[in-house]
Amino acid sequence: MGKGGMSHGNVGEGTHDARIRMKAVGICGSDVHFLKEMKLADFVVTEPMVIGHECAGIIEEVGTEVKHLVPGDRVAVEPGISCWRCDLCKDGRYNLCPEMKFLLLPLFMIVHPADLCFKLPDNVSLEEGAMCEPLSVGVHACRRANVGPETNVLVMGAGPIGLVTMLVARAFGSPRIVIVDVDDHRLSVAKELGADETVKVSTSINDVAAEIERIKEAMGAVVDISFDCAGFSKTMSTALGATSSGGKVCLVGLGHTEMTLPLAPAAVREVDVVGIFRYKNTWPLCLEFLRSGKIDVKPLITHRFGFSQKEVEDAFETSARGGNAIKVMFNL
């Protein structure tokens, strides 16, 4: 097996591959969305699909050309396997590769390209290793938006991705962060994790103008960068209106495929809009953030389950229900 595919056979099929026994797998919001809606954005489920891609495990065997890993190593796994031949891959934007094969976890054991397996520091747990996947979304978003010590950040949505984006923005040096959500519990978690201010909003589009003023008041300064981690017409409209002239809005969430947005008012203020898709070259930085303690993802893991049929069903119901659940993790 080379970079272009995956196998669950003998590791000898790929001299650059590693066989990994999965130990920790998180449930992503996209997993729940696919299960409930059978689609996400332009991705439609047309045949049987196994879900799960936030993972970490233990190396069982490595190919003959693998030099940086040995059996027994604990690793976090980057799940996307790009072709490395197309123009996007050659340009370094492999996350946009049209031939991307994205890891799904039908077995406790997988074979995966070893260069997409990252050894965990001694003080980083397997669960934390699995959290590198959602954390990578936050890292890629903050890189795309150029977050730094002089950028005040607004985060729309205090779900798992909103919270990791907030944590990464702080690690990147943002001096002031305001986070917005409809749920009191998630806002309280955001505050505990370091948000400077929180703003509770409604689901009504009619409240956007008033809520923008409340957000600006909470920020107490200009909003340089906004991250929409929900991806609805209302959240994106709020982000566009709250962001200062010359600022930037980064669309991270994919709640709505189509939106009705006030683009013209944002355009005349030169508010840039950028999107993200997954991540690229993020695992080493994520692991360094975890190793150094600059980011602590442990409080985000709120529920843990085994892997029996009933436990899997209960885990997905817990994740879909929301409430006090943030990240639901399988321990295998």
Side-chain angles (χ1 to χ4, degrees):
M1 179 190 75
K3 287 178 179 290
M6 292 194 303
S7 165
H8 297 287
N10 192 303
V11 77
E13 293 175 6
T15 57
H16 294 275
D17 299 334
R19 184 189 298 277
I20 312 145
R21 181 173 295 278
M22 289 295 109
K23 301 298 290 184
V25 180
I27 295 180
C28 177
S30 65
D31 297 331
V32 175
H33 201 91
F34 273 125
L35 186 63
K36 293 173 63 179
E37 307 293 337
M38 300 301 286
K39 64 178 182 178
L40 178 64
D42 291 332
F43 300 93
V44 179
V45 179
T46 58
E47 57 188 40
M49 173 184 177
V50 179
I51 46 186
H53 54 267
E54 302 176 358
C55 54
I58 298 174
I59 297 291
E60 295 264 321
E61 187 181 359
V62 296
T64 56
E65 296 301 315
V66 177
K67 307 302 182 185
H68 69 291
L69 296 171
V70 297
D73 282 346
R74 301 173 312 124
V75 293
V77 178
E78 181 173 353
I81 306 172
S82 58
C83 75
W84 295 109
R85 295 183 297 272
C86 69
D87 289 342
L88 287 164
C89 283
K90 290 177 180 178
D91 194 40
R93 305 187 74 179
Y94 67 85
N95 56 308
L96 302 178
C97 175
E99 300 300 321
M100 177 73 75
K101 292 177 173 61
F102 205 65
L103 178 63
L104 307 171
L105 296 174
L107 303 175
F108 293 107
M109 192 89 70
I110 67 166
V111 173
H112 201 62
D115 63 339
L116 297 176
C117 301
F118 298 86
K119 186 175 178 179
L120 299 181
D122 291 341
N123 64 336
V124 174
S125 71
L126 286 159
E127 287 189 337
E128 292 172 279
M131 287 294 291
C132 281
E133 199 278 344
L135 194 61
S136 286
V137 176
V139 168
H140 187 51
C142 286
R143 283 174 172 171
R144 286 274 287 157
N146 294 320
V147 173
E150 297 181 342
T151 51
N152 298 317
V153 167
L154 168 66
V155 179
M156 302 297 300
I161 294 300
L163 292 173
V164 294
T165 300
M166 180 194 76
L167 291 173
V168 174
R170 184 69 83 201
F172 273 40
S174 176
R176 189 160 180 82
I177 303 174
V178 173
I179 192 163
V180 174
D181 203 277
V182 299
D183 184 85
D184 283 318
H185 175 71
R186 292 200 167 187
L187 289 174
S188 68
V189 172
K191 190 70 174 177
E192 292 171 3
L193 290 174
D196 293 294
E197 295 291 343
T198 63
V199 177
K200 185 178 181 182
V201 295
S202 75
T203 57
S204 173
I205 195 73
N206 297 323
D207 295 333
V208 166
E211 289 169 357
I212 287 173
E213 293 307 311
R214 290 171 52 211
I215 289 168
K216 290 180 177 179
E217 182 179 350
M219 183 65 75
V222 298
V223 176
D224 299 298
I225 297 170
S226 293
F227 294 98
D228 182 0
C229 297
F232 298 109
S233 294
K234 190 199 172 190
T235 52
M236 194 62 178
S237 295
T238 304
L240 288 168
T243 303
S244 64
S245 296
K248 188 173 292 186
V249 174
C250 182
L251 178 57
V252 181
L254 299 173
H256 283 164
T257 302
E258 297 181 0
M259 301 183 193
T260 300
L261 301 172
L263 283 178
V268 299
R269 295 190 297 111
E270 295 192 358
V271 174
D272 293 340
V273 178
V274 298
I276 72 158
F277 187 61
R278 294 176 180 153
Y279 28 69
K280 60 185 180 74
N281 301 317
T282 53
W283 260 252
L285 181 58
C286 289
L287 288 173
E288 175 56 23
F289 280 152
L290 296 175
R291 183 203 65 78
S292 66
K294 199 166 187 179
I295 290 179
D296 182 9
V297 294
K298 294 188 292 293
L300 299 178
I301 305 170
T302 55
H303 293 72
R304 295 170 173 84
F305 291 85
F307 210 62
S308 69
Q309 179 68 30
K310 184 178 186 308
E311 286 175 301
V312 170
E313 292 174 2
D314 289 345
F316 272 91
E317 289 174 4
T318 299
S319 185
R321 189 164 55 244
N324 65 345
I326 298 176
K327 179 56 64 178
V328 176
M329 188 74 65
F330 290 113
N331 289 307
L332 309 183

